[in-house]
């Protein structure tokens, strides 16, 4: 992953690769199966199951679309595996086709993404695309206040800081992996989608931080939760302390982070080996006889993705185609209260997670937080 700010949706890519694998042969089929992690003959069924789960989630909208030229006839058994009413037609007029595909992308993402990331040309035979959109409102909103980090890459900048206090200490935790420690804070949405904020040790790369977050998500990496953390510096940006207070108070978790608005565009063919598309790019022969009798190769594969995190909630979308009042004197402290503080005041990662399936819908890295206005 790049060290700059970015966001990516594996959930938007996987179904497309699965349907391609279902219709592929030879080296292209084998490469796609390795990238997917399932046998090619099981890929289409797994993709249908994934799309059905996403469609059933309250906070999500997921869709798949297929467009072909009139002269290309998809094989009935392959097309039957696609969602109902997914098939459209390419007229051969690039401007007309582009407008239709832009309208589809805008409709399926609620206007968050307004165009398909691939270019439709007069020689385009087939377009297979997925759209994913999610919106969630925090169970507990943040307060907006200016934040000026005193150290790190954001030092001296006035950012749109987000702050909130809760009694759920275990929403914070520390994961330890060979590369270092990662602080995780879960921000819960009201309809089954949560965002996990991830801050790693300063020497860790974005890829290492996000990999640790994914390992914590699937249970392969243990996480020490906030209620069990030792006093003092407990993890990156994380501290546990006893604070004096005038009356008994519950332990508290105080989280400070920043708002962000990310957009990214990815060319999947730049990492063709990762996505199992190396052989499928070879235009000297067709690779997908299970899709159509017409010889087909992968000419382009791209993703456009957006993610916004603010005081009230989070939204993201991906289209893939192959932020002290004066008063009286304070009372004399008589009690101590445990407070866990988490500060995300330098570049950090995040995972947007479907709570029921624990599927990471989008993943990103924040290097340019929103300024405070």
């Amino acid at each position: 992953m790049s060290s700059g700010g970015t966001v990516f949706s594996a959930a938007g890519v996987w179904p497309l690769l699965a349907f391609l694998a279902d219709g592929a042969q030879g080296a292209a089929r084998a490469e796609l199966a390795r990238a997917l992690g399932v046998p090619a003959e099981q890929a289409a069924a797994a993709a249908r199951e994934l799309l059905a789960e996403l469609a059933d989630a309250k906070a999500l909208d997921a869709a798949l679309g297929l467009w072909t030229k009139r002269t290309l006839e998809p094989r009935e058994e392959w097309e039957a595996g696609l969602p109902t009413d997914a098939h459209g037609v390419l007229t051969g007029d690039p401007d007309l086709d582009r407008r239709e595909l832009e309208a589809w992308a805008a409709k399926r993402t609620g206007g968050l993404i307004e165009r398909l990331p691939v270019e439709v040309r007069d020689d385009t035979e087939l377009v297979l695309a997925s759209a994913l959109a999610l919106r969630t409102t925090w169970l507990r909103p943040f307060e907006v206040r200016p934040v000026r980090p005193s150290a790190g890459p954001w030092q001296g900048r006035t950012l749109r800081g987000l702050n909130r206090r809760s009694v759920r200490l275990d929403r914070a935790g520390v994961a330890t992996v060979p590369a270092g420690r990662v602080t995780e804070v879960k921000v819960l949405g009201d309809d089954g989608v949560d965002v996990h904020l991830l801050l790693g040790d300063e020497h860790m790369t974005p890829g290492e931080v996000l990999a640790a977050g994914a390992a914590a998500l699937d249970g392969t990496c243990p996480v020490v939760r906030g209620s069990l953390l030792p006093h003092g510096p407990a993890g990156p940006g994380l501290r546990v302390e006893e604070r004096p207070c005038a009356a008994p108070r519950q332990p508290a978790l105080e989280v400070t982070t920043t708002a962000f608005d990310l957009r990214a565009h990815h060319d999947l063919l730049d990492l063709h080996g990762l996505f199992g598309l190396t052989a499928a790019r070879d235009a000297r022969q067709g690779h997908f006889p299970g899709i159509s009798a017409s010889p087909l190769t992968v000419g382009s594969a791209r993703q456009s993705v957006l993610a916004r995190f603010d005081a009230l909630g989070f939204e993201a979308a991906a289209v893939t185609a192959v932020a002290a009042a004066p008063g009286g004197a304070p009372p004399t402290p008589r009690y101590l209260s445990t407070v866990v503080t988490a500060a995300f005041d330098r570049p950090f990662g995040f995972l947007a997670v479907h709570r029921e399936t624990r599927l990471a819908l989008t993943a990103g890295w924040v290097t340019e937080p929103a300024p405070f206005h």
Side-chain angles (χ1 to χ4, degrees), residues 217-299:
L217 185 63
D218 65 21
T220 59
C221 171
V223 178
V224 180
R225 289 294 163 198
S227 60
L228 300 177
L229 291 170
H231 289 92
L238 194 67
R239 186 175 184 86
V240 181
E241 58 189 358
E242 299 289 343
R243 291 185 187 173
C245 53
R249 298 179 69 173
Q250 288 182 287
L253 170 63
E254 293 183 353
V255 178
T256 300
T257 185
T258 61
F260 58 82
D261 187 331
L262 292 173
R263 294 176 184 268
H265 305 279
H266 305 285
D267 189 335
L268 306 186
L269 295 187
D270 287 344
L271 295 171
H272 52 83
L274 175 65
F275 295 109
L277 295 173
T278 302
R281 301 176 307 152
D282 186 353
R284 292 174 296 180
Q285 60 179 336
H287 303 281
F288 302 97
I291 294 178
S292 172
S294 301
L296 297 171
T297 64
V298 174

Side-chain angles (χ1 to χ4, degrees), residues 350-371:
F350 68 89
L351 298 174
V353 177
H354 183 223
R355 192 182 306 148
E356 182 176 346
T357 62
R358 300 183 67 79
L359 174 67
L361 302 170
T362 57
W365 187 255
V366 181
T367 59
E368 285 299 322

Side-chain angles (χ1 to χ4, degrees), residues 36-82:
L36 290 165
V38 299
E41 58 271 18
Q42 299 174 17
R48 288 193 296 271
E49 183 179 350
L50 173 61
L51 290 172
E53 288 181 349
L54 296 179
D56 287 342
K58 181 180 178 182
L60 298 175
D61 289 310
L64 186 133
L66 169 72
W67 296 264
T68 61
K69 274 191 172 180
R70 289 188 175 90
T71 54
L72 185 143
E73 295 186 10
R75 295 195 184 278
E76 290 185 5
E77 58 270 28
W78 181 79
E79 188 180 1
L82 301 180

